Structures are given as structure tokens and as C-alpha cells.
């Protein structure tokens, strides 16, 4: 093959970018067509009526928690948490506890008569936790004591507080 005919043949071949884009376009059109056919065959469910958080009829409302160590990818077994209630001026300690092997408190934090509306705080001792685990982290720790503050407004609703944390971040949400 001469150099001229090789250059002409090469000019007819698509570039890598053109090839990749045409493959994406072809795949997308196939997915859109398949989705349209599936939607036409599948009856659409009616939207669920959301009434908000779960109210457990016949079960006492309660506050529970779950802590997950995202750095090690496991339950935060051994994490110390100080649980406090706002008295109008300060957070007053209700109790301290150590998270169990499942990442939870052994019993609900609030239940029955103790489950009252108000402002609360869980203080997670993440610096002590990672030190006890022997985690090789920079000193001083980026996070030391992490305050998780929340409110209970409706005492008929069960609240579950899932928390995730690592040496540099944390997140929590209102579960039910």
C-alpha cells in the first residue's frame, strides 16, 4: 500500500472521539426505545400518599440512633456519645453511653414518659474513638467532638437518628 493510499484510507476512518460519541448515541437511543416500550407495557402505579414520618400505632414512640464509621466501613462500636437535653440556657447531660456492636445504643434513648418535645444534642467523641481504634491519622485530629443537634416536635412520631462519620466529615438525618 502506498503512502498516499494509506493517508486516504486513514482519512475515512472515524477519530476515537467520533467513534466514542457515535457509540454513546447509539446506546442511548437503544435505551430510550427500550424504556418507551417498557413504559407502554407496564401499568403505572398511583403515587403513594405520604403522611410524613411514621406513627407506630400501639407501639410507644421513641428516639433511637445508629452510628456508622465510614472510615473503616463498619458500625461505630465503642464510640462514646454524651446525650443531652436543652434546658433553656444550656445542654444538660441526660446520659453517656458506648455504642454497641451493631452501632446502636442498647436501648432507646427516650421512650414513654422520657420522650418529650424539646431540643437535644448527641456529642460524638470521634477523636477518642479513632485513637482507640489505632487509626493512623494526622494530629491534631480535624474533628474532635462532633455535636449532633436536633429537635423533637411531635411526640407521637418515632425518630431514628442515623449518623455517619469519618475523621474529616459527618452527616446525620432524621429517620423513622
Amino acid at each position: 500500500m502506498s503512502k498516499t493510499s494509506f493517508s486516504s484510507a486513514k482519512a475515512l476512518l472515524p477519530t476515537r472521539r467520533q467513534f466514542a460519541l457515535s457509540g454513546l448515541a447509539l446506546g442511548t437511543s437503544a435505551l430510550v426505545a427500550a424504556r418507551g416500550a417498557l413504559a407502554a407495557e407496564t401499568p403505572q402505579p398511583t403515587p403513594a400518599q405520604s403522611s410524613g414520618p411514621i406513627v407506630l400505632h400501639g407501639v410507644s414512640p421513641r428516639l433511637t440512633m445508629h452510628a456508622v464509621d465510614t472510615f473503616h466501613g463498619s458500625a461505630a462500636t465503642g464510640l462514646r456519645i454524651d446525650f443531652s437535653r436543652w434546658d433553656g440556657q444550656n445542654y444538660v447531660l441526660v446520659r453517656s453511653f458506648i455504642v454497641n456492636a451493631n452501632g446502636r445504643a442498647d436501648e432507646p434513648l427516650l421512650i414513654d414518659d422520657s420522650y418529650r418535645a424539646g431540643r437535644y444534642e448527641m456529642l460524638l467523641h470521634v477523636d477518642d474513638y479513632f485513637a482507640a481504634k489505632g487509626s493512623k491519622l494526622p494530629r491534631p485530629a480535624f474533628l474532635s467532638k462532633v455535636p449532633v443537634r436536633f429537635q423533637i416536635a411531635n411526640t407521637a412520631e418515632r425518630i431514628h437518628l442515623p449518623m455517619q462519620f469519618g475523621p474529616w466529615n459527618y452527616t446525620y438525618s432524621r429517620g423513622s
Side-chain angles (χ1 to χ4, degrees):
M1 181 181 249
S2 71
K3 189 174 184 177
T4 308
S5 60
F6 178 72
S7 297
S8 299
K10 188 176 176 183
L12 296 175
L13 294 174
T15 65
R16 287 184 194 179
R17 178 175 285 161
Q18 290 169 330
F19 183 76
L21 290 174
S22 63
L24 285 172
L26 182 61
T28 302
S29 63
L31 286 174
V32 168
R35 180 179 284 165
L38 182 62
E41 296 172 6
T42 307
Q44 298 299 315
T46 58
Q49 298 297 319
S50 175
S51 62
I54 296 174
V55 176
L56 300 173
H57 299 288
V59 176
S60 181
R62 62 196 66 202
L63 170 66
T64 56
M65 56 73 60
H66 187 206
V68 175
D69 169 0
T70 58
F71 186 69
H72 293 101
S74 63
T77 305
L79 173 68
R80 177 178 154 209
I81 297 179
D82 296 333
F83 177 59
S84 302
R85 178 179 168 80
W86 180 255
D87 72 355
Q89 294 181 348
N90 299 303
Y91 282 99
V92 177
L93 185 65
V94 174
R95 72 182 221 205
S96 291
F97 63 95
I98 304 296
V99 172
N100 68 22
N102 293 324
R104 303 171 190 275
D106 288 331
E107 57 193 37
L109 300 174
L110 299 173
I111 191 168
D112 296 326
D113 293 337
S114 70
Y115 190 72
R116 297 188 308 254
R119 290 169 44 188
Y120 295 90
E121 176 186 77
M122 286 192 210
L123 189 65
L124 287 61
H125 294 257
V126 298
D127 55 348
D128 298 337
Y129 169 82
F130 286 118
K133 292 273 241 185
S135 302
K136 302 234 185 276
L137 299 172
R139 292 284 172 205
F142 180 70
L143 294 176
S144 56
K145 310 293 187 257
V146 173
V148 174
R149 293 182 175 163
F150 59 96
Q151 294 189 85
I152 296 174
N154 183 349
T155 57
E157 297 173 348
R158 177 183 189 273
I159 295 178
H160 179 70
L161 194 64
M163 300 172 284
Q164 297 179 344
F165 66 93
W168 302 278
N169 64 325
Y170 67 97
T171 184
Y172 61 99
S173 60
R174 184 196 191 284
S176 57

